[in-house]
Amino acid sequence: MRNDGLTGGQSPSSHEQAKKRIQFDILLHQLCYGTMDIELARTFIEIVSTGSFIKAADRLHVAQTTVSARVRLLEQQLGRPLFVRNKGGASLTPAGEQFLRFAPTFVQLWQRAKQQVAVPEGHSAVLTIGSEVSLWRPLLIEWVRAMRRSHPDIALRVHVDVPQDLVTHVAAGLVDIAIMYAPQHRPGLEVDLVMEEELVLVTTDLAKYHENDPRYVHVEWGSEFALRHAVSFPEAVPSLVTNLGPLALSYILMEGGSGYFRMHAVQSYLAEGALHLVPGAPRFSFPVYATHATNVDAAALEAALVALRKAAGVGK
């Protein structure tokens, strides 16, 4: 009787499955101990996030052929396909679903390990905190101040970016925790509500304000705000539009006018009389969230969240 190298009555199919399982375990070992290019895992994550090889290439700033080559190499090392490509983009195979459980952790741990090696003398850890541009003042500034006062032993790196790139940096482990308005849900990330914010309509001159104020500056606060604003002000056709709240706020403070802004950003100007709330104007909910990787150091993460909520005036 032929043995064919199989033991314990294994069928050829079960033997092949066992072989692939071993290959998978070897790959995990390679990722954990750095013998495999971490860019393979990072590329895999970007394809999952965007659902497309083309979009992943754009995010990674490489050619599509490079993305395809990385996936082929990863699939060769794993011994099984990870994606099914179709006209709509790319979807995960069962093996791809399994690999997705581990890939984000590997990338984040690798980035975090590189950061921790560079801990400044006299400090116990390094924490990279981020914010989307419109939240840098006052929330990000107050957050940094709170962290420096309560945890001077934690060295800080502060990163400000646009939302899409910011969440990508968090997913890649380049930023440990970031504050933003509408974070995308990605593998390996958690999202916590920090504070309930409101967008309020303010003006520099109540006597001159009216519903079709020609000095109204429209800030693009996102698709949900755009929909609600259109319902509340169906006739509005603003002549000045921007996607940056701080820019619009600075403009109307210098030139006069009106616009929707975060309550926390205009409170000091309301108190001193430089701005005024428009009576009866609708207010729009605009909550702030913190997004972070699931494997961020628990003590450092807790310190950052406590300081953040203190800066936001929550839990005082």
Side-chain angles (χ1 to χ4, degrees), residues 141-173:
I141 293 176
E142 293 302 322
W143 186 16
V144 173
R145 293 178 65 193
M147 281 293 295
R148 297 295 282 175
R149 290 170 179 171
S150 61
H151 293 84
D153 61 311
I154 298 179
L156 294 179
R157 293 189 176 99
V158 183
H159 181 79
V160 179
D161 213 328
V162 296
Q164 181 176 343
D165 290 343
L166 187 60
V167 74
T168 297
H169 291 322
V170 177

Side-chain angles (χ1 to χ4, degrees), residues 121-139:
E121 186 176 352
H123 293 76
S124 61
V126 177
L127 192 70
T128 302
I129 63 177
S131 166
E132 63 176 80
V133 179
S134 60
L135 282 170
W136 78 270
R137 181 180 180 184
L139 185 55

Side-chain angles (χ1 to χ4, degrees), residues 215-233:
R215 300 189 304 166
Y216 176 77
V217 180
H218 183 77
V219 182
E220 295 175 333
W221 291 110
S223 58
E224 185 173 347
F225 169 77
L227 177 61
R228 294 182 178 181
H229 186 277
V231 171
S232 300
F233 303 96

Side-chain angles (χ1 to χ4, degrees), residues 9-287:
Q10 285 183 308
S11 67
S13 59
S14 61
H15 177 72
E16 186 63 27
Q17 290 173 356
K19 180 180 177 182
K20 289 183 177 181
R21 179 69 251 180
I22 293 172
Q23 289 177 315
F24 188 77
D25 290 340
I26 291 173
L27 178 60
L28 297 185
H29 184 277
Q30 290 174 328
L31 280 168
C32 285
Y33 293 98
T35 57
M36 173 185 159
D37 187 354
I38 203 70
E39 289 301 324
L40 300 185
R42 183 175 285 116
T43 300
F44 172 85
I45 293 170
E46 287 300 334
I47 297 171
V48 173
S49 176
T50 62
S52 163
F53 278 53
I54 297 175
K55 292 178 181 178
D58 290 339
R59 279 194 182 178
L60 294 168
H61 306 293
V62 298
Q64 184 184 348
T65 53
T66 301
V67 169
S68 298
R70 289 176 181 175
V71 171
R72 282 197 300 272
L73 178 57
L74 187 57
E75 290 178 332
Q76 288 172 5
Q77 293 185 355
L78 181 58
R80 63 188 75 181
L82 299 175
F83 293 101
V84 176
R85 300 181 68 172
N86 49 55
K87 292 182 179 180
S91 58
L92 288 171
T93 64
E97 294 283 357
Q98 287 296 315
F99 187 62
L100 183 58
R101 296 168 52 199
F102 303 98
T105 300
F106 296 138
V107 175
Q108 292 158 6
L109 285 175
W110 175 250
Q111 292 299 141
R112 197 151 293 118
K114 292 198 297 184
Q115 290 181 1
Q116 292 302 322
V117 168
V119 174
E121 186 176 352
H123 293 76
S124 61
V126 177
L127 192 70
T128 302
I129 63 177
S131 166
E132 63 176 80
V133 179
S134 60
L135 282 170
W136 78 270
R137 181 180 180 184
L139 185 55
L140 177 60
I141 293 176
E142 293 302 322
W143 186 16
V144 173
R145 293 178 65 193
M147 281 293 295
R148 297 295 282 175
R149 290 170 179 171
S150 61
H151 293 84
D153 61 311
I154 298 179
L156 294 179
R157 293 189 176 99
V158 183
H159 181 79
V160 179
D161 213 328
V162 296
Q164 181 176 343
D165 290 343
L166 187 60
V167 74
T168 297
H169 291 322
V170 177
L174 298 172
V175 174
D176 295 307
I177 178 173
I179 48 175
M180 47 204 319
Y181 288 119
Q184 300 174 354
H185 290 271
R186 294 197 183 185
L189 299 187
E190 289 186 356
V191 177
D192 297 314
L193 176 66
V194 174
M195 60 185 292
E196 290 286 356
E197 178 69 286
E198 277 190 319
L199 294 174
V200 295
L201 182 58
V202 297
T203 179
T204 54
D205 191 338
L206 276 175
K208 293 183 179 180
Y209 175 81
H210 54 86
E211 187 167 311
N212 293 319
D213 184 2
R215 300 189 304 166
Y216 176 77
V217 180
H218 183 77
V219 182
E220 295 175 333
W221 291 110
S223 58
E224 185 173 347
F225 169 77
L227 177 61
R228 294 182 178 181
H229 186 277
V231 171
S232 300
F233 303 96
E235 304 299 324
V237 184
S239 60
L240 180 54
V241 180
T242 177
N243 66 347
L244 186 58
L247 171 64
L249 182 56
S250 296
Y251 176 84
I252 70 166
L253 287 170
M254 290 186 290
E255 296 294 325
S258 59
Y260 268 95
F261 300 98
R262 295 180 297 109
M263 176 59 87
H264 280 73
V266 299
Q267 278 180 333
S268 62
Y269 300 109
L270 293 171
E272 66 188 34
L275 293 175
H276 310 276
L277 288 170
V278 175
R283 298 187 177 196
F284 304 108
S285 176
F286 205 57

